[in-house]
Amino acid sequence: VTGHYDCRGNPASDSDHKEQVQKAVSRLKEEFKSMAVIGIWVNHEFKGEAVTEFVTSYRSNSQMLLK
């Protein structure tokens, strides 16, 4: 899930956008438990910042899980 600086479609503060990204990630993780879901914020320098923390673990050589 990505949010970005200076969004005209959702004119809110940066902190509000980041909170919205976090909420969206939480909802998607609940709905799609087997999928990796992360949040990224694209700042005014067009650089991505992780909004959510995630832990990488492996169940097998072919399946990676992000929590």
Side-chain angles (χ1 to χ4, degrees):
V1 177
T2 305
H4 61 88
Y5 167 79
D6 200 27
C7 180
R8 293 181 188 199
N10 183 14
S13 69
D14 291 0
S15 61
D16 286 345
H17 276 271
K18 291 175 184 179
E19 184 178 329
Q20 292 167 359
V21 169
Q22 289 174 337
K23 286 180 180 180
V25 167
S26 294
R27 288 180 182 172
L28 288 169
K29 281 184 176 183
E30 285 297 316
E31 185 68 27
F32 303 100
K33 296 182 190 308
S34 65
M35 295 183 70
V37 182
I38 62 170
I40 303 291
W41 169 253
V42 179
N43 66 26
H44 67 284
E45 295 176 335
F46 302 102
K47 295 182 181 177
E49 304 171 8
V51 174
T52 57
E53 293 183 26
F54 57 94
V55 176
T56 305
S57 62
Y58 293 91
R59 285 195 176 169
S60 69
N61 289 337
S62 64
Q63 184 180 24
M64 182 177 73
L65 299 175
L66 301 178
K67 299 178 183 177

